[in-house]
Short mmCIF file of all heavy atoms in Angstrom, two decimals:
data_model
loop_
_atom_site.label_atom_id
_atom_site.label_comp_id
_atom_site.label_asym_id
_atom_site.label_seq_id
_atom_site.Cartn_x
_atom_site.Cartn_y
_atom_site.Cartn_z
N GLY A 1 0.79 -1.25 -0.02
CA GLY A 1 -0.01 -0.03 -0.06
C GLY A 1 0.84 1.25 0.00
O GLY A 1 2.00 1.26 -0.40
N VAL A 2 0.26 2.33 0.47
CA VAL A 2 0.79 3.64 0.54
C VAL A 2 0.88 4.11 1.98
O VAL A 2 -0.04 3.89 2.76
CB VAL A 2 -0.10 4.66 -0.25
CG1 VAL A 2 0.47 6.09 -0.21
CG2 VAL A 2 -0.23 4.23 -1.71
N TYR A 3 2.07 4.73 2.23
CA TYR A 3 2.37 5.22 3.59
C TYR A 3 2.60 6.68 3.44
O TYR A 3 3.39 7.21 2.66
CB TYR A 3 3.55 4.53 4.22
CG TYR A 3 3.84 4.97 5.60
CD1 TYR A 3 3.09 4.42 6.68
CD2 TYR A 3 4.85 5.83 5.90
CE1 TYR A 3 3.31 4.86 7.99
CE2 TYR A 3 5.10 6.22 7.19
CZ TYR A 3 4.34 5.76 8.24
OH TYR A 3 4.52 6.09 9.52
N LYS A 4 1.87 7.48 4.24
CA LYS A 4 1.85 8.92 4.14
C LYS A 4 2.33 9.51 5.37
O LYS A 4 1.78 9.34 6.49
CB LYS A 4 0.51 9.54 3.74
CG LYS A 4 0.00 9.13 2.42
CD LYS A 4 -1.32 9.77 2.13
CE LYS A 4 -1.88 9.32 0.80
NZ LYS A 4 -3.17 10.05 0.52
N GLY A 5 3.42 10.29 5.31
CA GLY A 5 3.84 11.11 6.49
C GLY A 5 3.29 12.53 6.42
O GLY A 5 2.37 12.82 5.63
N GLU A 6 3.90 13.54 7.18
CA GLU A 6 3.32 14.87 7.16
C GLU A 6 3.83 15.60 5.94
O GLU A 6 3.13 16.57 5.48
CB GLU A 6 3.72 15.53 8.46
CG GLU A 6 3.03 14.95 9.64
CD GLU A 6 3.46 15.64 10.99
OE1 GLU A 6 4.23 16.54 10.98
OE2 GLU A 6 2.88 15.19 12.08
N LEU A 7 4.98 15.20 5.36
CA LEU A 7 5.54 15.93 4.15
C LEU A 7 5.55 15.18 2.94
O LEU A 7 5.63 15.74 1.88
CB LEU A 7 6.87 16.52 4.56
CG LEU A 7 7.03 17.44 5.73
CD1 LEU A 7 8.45 17.76 6.03
CD2 LEU A 7 6.22 18.73 5.53
N THR A 8 5.63 13.85 3.03
CA THR A 8 5.85 13.04 1.87
C THR A 8 5.15 11.65 2.01
O THR A 8 4.51 11.49 2.97
CB THR A 8 7.35 12.79 1.60
OG1 THR A 8 7.54 12.14 0.39
CG2 THR A 8 7.95 12.12 2.85
N GLU A 9 5.18 10.90 0.91
CA GLU A 9 4.55 9.53 1.01
C GLU A 9 5.54 8.59 0.35
O GLU A 9 6.35 8.84 -0.49
CB GLU A 9 3.26 9.57 0.40
CG GLU A 9 3.06 9.80 -1.07
CD GLU A 9 1.63 9.72 -1.52
OE1 GLU A 9 0.82 10.52 -1.01
OE2 GLU A 9 1.31 8.91 -2.39
N GLY A 10 5.19 7.29 0.69
CA GLY A 10 6.00 6.19 0.11
C GLY A 10 5.22 4.95 0.13
O GLY A 10 3.99 4.93 0.24
N ASN A 11 5.92 3.83 -0.05
CA ASN A 11 5.23 2.50 -0.08
C ASN A 11 5.27 1.83 1.30
O ASN A 11 6.07 2.20 2.17
CB ASN A 11 5.97 1.55 -1.06
CG ASN A 11 5.94 2.07 -2.50
OD1 ASN A 11 4.88 2.62 -2.85
ND2 ASN A 11 6.99 1.95 -3.20
N LEU A 12 4.50 0.88 1.41
CA LEU A 12 4.45 0.01 2.69
C LEU A 12 4.35 -1.40 2.33
O LEU A 12 3.82 -1.74 1.24
CB LEU A 12 3.44 0.46 3.67
CG LEU A 12 1.90 0.14 3.33
CD1 LEU A 12 1.46 -1.23 3.63
CD2 LEU A 12 1.11 1.18 4.22
N ARG A 13 4.86 -2.26 3.10
CA ARG A 13 4.78 -3.71 3.00
C ARG A 13 4.75 -4.35 4.32
O ARG A 13 5.33 -3.86 5.29
CB ARG A 13 6.00 -4.29 2.21
CG ARG A 13 5.95 -4.07 0.78
CD ARG A 13 7.07 -4.94 0.13
NE ARG A 13 8.49 -4.41 0.09
CZ ARG A 13 8.85 -3.42 -0.73
NH1 ARG A 13 8.06 -2.74 -1.28
NH2 ARG A 13 10.15 -3.09 -0.59
N GLY A 14 3.96 -5.46 4.47
CA GLY A 14 3.88 -6.20 5.71
C GLY A 14 3.03 -7.35 5.70
O GLY A 14 2.70 -7.95 4.64
N LYS A 15 2.74 -7.94 6.88
CA LYS A 15 1.88 -9.08 7.03
C LYS A 15 1.01 -8.87 8.23
O LYS A 15 1.20 -8.19 9.17
CB LYS A 15 2.74 -10.30 7.37
CG LYS A 15 3.53 -10.84 6.18
CD LYS A 15 3.99 -12.26 6.38
CE LYS A 15 4.71 -12.86 5.15
NZ LYS A 15 3.78 -13.13 4.14
N VAL A 16 -0.14 -9.57 8.15
CA VAL A 16 -1.05 -9.58 9.26
C VAL A 16 -1.29 -11.15 9.53
O VAL A 16 -1.64 -11.87 8.60
CB VAL A 16 -2.39 -8.90 9.00
CG1 VAL A 16 -3.13 -9.38 7.71
CG2 VAL A 16 -3.31 -8.94 10.20
N GLN A 17 -1.18 -11.60 10.76
CA GLN A 17 -1.25 -12.95 11.13
C GLN A 17 -2.01 -12.96 12.46
O GLN A 17 -1.51 -12.40 13.48
CB GLN A 17 -0.03 -13.68 11.29
CG GLN A 17 0.65 -13.83 9.97
CD GLN A 17 2.02 -14.44 10.11
OE1 GLN A 17 2.85 -14.10 11.04
NE2 GLN A 17 2.38 -15.36 9.25
N GLY A 18 -3.20 -13.57 12.52
CA GLY A 18 -4.10 -13.54 13.74
C GLY A 18 -4.34 -12.16 13.96
O GLY A 18 -4.75 -11.32 13.03
N ASN A 19 -4.28 -11.65 15.19
CA ASN A 19 -4.47 -10.24 15.55
C ASN A 19 -3.27 -9.40 15.54
O ASN A 19 -3.20 -8.33 16.13
CB ASN A 19 -5.31 -10.17 16.85
CG ASN A 19 -4.53 -10.58 18.06
OD1 ASN A 19 -3.54 -11.25 17.97
ND2 ASN A 19 -4.86 -10.12 19.15
N THR A 20 -2.15 -9.94 15.01
CA THR A 20 -0.84 -9.27 15.01
C THR A 20 -0.54 -8.71 13.65
O THR A 20 -0.78 -9.42 12.66
CB THR A 20 0.28 -10.24 15.47
OG1 THR A 20 0.08 -10.65 16.74
CG2 THR A 20 1.63 -9.58 15.41
N ILE A 21 -0.21 -7.44 13.57
CA ILE A 21 0.28 -6.82 12.25
C ILE A 21 1.65 -6.45 12.42
O ILE A 21 2.17 -5.96 13.41
CB ILE A 21 -0.72 -5.69 11.98
CG1 ILE A 21 -0.40 -5.07 10.56
CG2 ILE A 21 -0.58 -4.57 13.01
CD1 ILE A 21 -1.55 -4.21 10.09
N ASP A 22 2.38 -6.52 11.25
CA ASP A 22 3.72 -6.18 11.20
C ASP A 22 3.93 -5.63 9.83
O ASP A 22 3.86 -6.24 8.81
CB ASP A 22 4.58 -7.43 11.36
CG ASP A 22 6.13 -7.14 11.45
OD1 ASP A 22 6.69 -6.61 10.50
OD2 ASP A 22 6.68 -7.43 12.52
N PHE A 23 4.32 -4.33 9.76
CA PHE A 23 4.54 -3.67 8.48
C PHE A 23 5.51 -2.58 8.51
O PHE A 23 5.82 -2.03 9.61
CB PHE A 23 3.23 -3.15 7.86
CG PHE A 23 2.60 -1.92 8.53
CD1 PHE A 23 2.83 -0.63 7.99
CD2 PHE A 23 1.82 -2.00 9.63
CE1 PHE A 23 2.34 0.48 8.64
CE2 PHE A 23 1.25 -0.96 10.31
CZ PHE A 23 1.50 0.40 9.78
N THR A 24 6.03 -2.22 7.38
CA THR A 24 7.06 -1.14 7.34
C THR A 24 6.61 -0.05 6.24
O THR A 24 6.30 -0.52 5.11
CB THR A 24 8.44 -1.65 7.00
OG1 THR A 24 8.86 -2.61 8.01
CG2 THR A 24 9.52 -0.56 6.90
N GLY A 25 6.68 1.18 6.69
CA GLY A 25 6.33 2.30 5.70
C GLY A 25 7.62 2.99 5.52
O GLY A 25 8.49 3.22 6.39
N TYR A 26 7.86 3.43 4.20
CA TYR A 26 9.04 3.95 3.83
C TYR A 26 8.81 5.40 3.40
O TYR A 26 7.98 5.66 2.56
CB TYR A 26 9.77 3.22 2.64
CG TYR A 26 9.98 1.78 2.95
CD1 TYR A 26 9.02 0.78 2.61
CD2 TYR A 26 11.06 1.34 3.58
CE1 TYR A 26 9.16 -0.52 2.89
CE2 TYR A 26 11.30 -0.03 3.87
CZ TYR A 26 10.43 -0.99 3.53
OH TYR A 26 10.56 -2.25 3.81
N LEU A 27 9.50 6.36 3.95
CA LEU A 27 9.42 7.72 3.55
C LEU A 27 10.72 8.38 3.19
O LEU A 27 11.76 8.06 3.83
CB LEU A 27 8.90 8.61 4.70
CG LEU A 27 7.46 8.33 5.19
CD1 LEU A 27 7.02 9.17 6.34
CD2 LEU A 27 6.46 8.49 4.04
N HIS A 28 10.78 9.07 2.14
CA HIS A 28 12.04 9.65 1.62
C HIS A 28 11.79 11.28 1.43
O HIS A 28 10.70 11.57 0.87
CB HIS A 28 12.55 9.14 0.35
CG HIS A 28 12.88 7.66 0.51
ND1 HIS A 28 14.07 7.29 1.00
CD2 HIS A 28 12.21 6.53 0.27
CE1 HIS A 28 14.12 5.92 1.04
NE2 HIS A 28 12.99 5.55 0.57
N HIS A 29 12.69 12.12 1.81
CA HIS A 29 12.60 13.52 1.60
C HIS A 29 13.91 14.03 1.24
O HIS A 29 14.93 13.85 2.12
CB HIS A 29 12.04 14.20 2.88
CG HIS A 29 11.83 15.60 2.64
ND1 HIS A 29 10.92 16.20 1.91
CD2 HIS A 29 12.54 16.71 3.12
CE1 HIS A 29 10.98 17.48 1.91
NE2 HIS A 29 11.95 17.84 2.70
N GLU A 30 14.05 14.53 0.09
CA GLU A 30 15.35 14.94 -0.44
C GLU A 30 16.32 13.81 -0.39
O GLU A 30 16.13 12.79 -0.87
CB GLU A 30 15.87 16.25 0.27
CG GLU A 30 14.92 17.39 0.01
CD GLU A 30 15.28 18.67 0.69
OE1 GLU A 30 16.37 18.72 1.27
OE2 GLU A 30 14.47 19.55 0.54
N ALA A 31 17.52 13.89 0.37
CA ALA A 31 18.49 12.83 0.43
C ALA A 31 18.31 11.95 1.58
O ALA A 31 19.13 11.12 1.92
CB ALA A 31 19.93 13.46 0.39
N THR A 32 17.23 12.15 2.37
CA THR A 32 17.12 11.34 3.64
C THR A 32 15.94 10.43 3.47
O THR A 32 14.89 10.75 2.92
CB THR A 32 16.80 12.30 4.75
OG1 THR A 32 17.80 13.29 4.90
CG2 THR A 32 16.71 11.64 6.18
N GLY A 33 16.13 9.26 4.10
CA GLY A 33 15.02 8.27 4.10
C GLY A 33 14.84 7.65 5.50
O GLY A 33 15.85 7.52 6.30
N VAL A 34 13.66 7.38 5.80
CA VAL A 34 13.33 6.77 7.21
C VAL A 34 12.38 5.60 6.94
O VAL A 34 11.42 5.74 6.15
CB VAL A 34 12.75 7.80 8.09
CG1 VAL A 34 12.36 7.15 9.46
CG2 VAL A 34 13.70 8.97 8.43
N SER A 35 12.61 4.51 7.68
CA SER A 35 11.73 3.39 7.69
C SER A 35 10.94 3.38 9.00
O SER A 35 11.66 3.53 10.01
CB SER A 35 12.51 2.02 7.55
OG SER A 35 13.14 1.98 6.26
N PHE A 36 9.66 3.17 8.98
CA PHE A 36 8.84 3.13 10.15
C PHE A 36 8.35 1.68 10.25
O PHE A 36 7.52 1.28 9.55
CB PHE A 36 7.66 4.04 10.07
CG PHE A 36 8.09 5.48 10.06
CD1 PHE A 36 8.43 6.06 8.87
CD2 PHE A 36 7.96 6.25 11.14
CE1 PHE A 36 8.73 7.46 8.86
CE2 PHE A 36 8.30 7.59 11.17
CZ PHE A 36 8.76 8.16 9.98
N HIS A 37 9.02 0.84 11.16
CA HIS A 37 8.63 -0.56 11.27
C HIS A 37 7.64 -0.66 12.47
O HIS A 37 7.99 -0.51 13.60
CB HIS A 37 9.85 -1.36 11.52
CG HIS A 37 9.60 -2.91 11.64
ND1 HIS A 37 10.52 -3.78 12.06
CD2 HIS A 37 8.44 -3.57 11.34
CE1 HIS A 37 9.92 -4.99 12.07
NE2 HIS A 37 8.68 -4.84 11.57
N TYR A 38 6.40 -1.03 12.08
CA TYR A 38 5.33 -1.12 13.03
C TYR A 38 5.04 -2.60 13.40
O TYR A 38 5.09 -3.49 12.55
CB TYR A 38 3.98 -0.62 12.40
CG TYR A 38 3.93 0.88 12.19
CD1 TYR A 38 4.48 1.51 11.08
CD2 TYR A 38 3.22 1.63 13.11
CE1 TYR A 38 4.46 2.86 10.86
CE2 TYR A 38 3.11 3.02 12.80
CZ TYR A 38 3.74 3.62 11.70
OH TYR A 38 3.61 4.91 11.62
#
């Protein structure tokens, strides 16, 4: 899917098993990137 921050957006990937969710959203702004692992 799509992951949106306050300034930019990127892709997300993950899994849901039972009532547990595990996904990572990726945001890039200029030369910097951050992964948000939930």
Side-chain angles (χ1 to χ4, degrees):
V2 177
Y3 184 76
K4 297 180 180 182
E6 293 179 0
L7 301 174
T8 186
E9 68 181 56
N11 296 322
L12 68 80
R13 282 194 278 289
K15 289 199 175 284
V16 58
Q17 295 177 313
N19 68 340
T20 300
I21 190 167
D22 186 296
F23 72 95
T24 302
Y26 304 94
L27 296 179
H28 296 279
H29 182 68
E30 297 179 5
T32 304
V34 178
S35 297
F36 294 81
H37 183 191
Y38 289 81

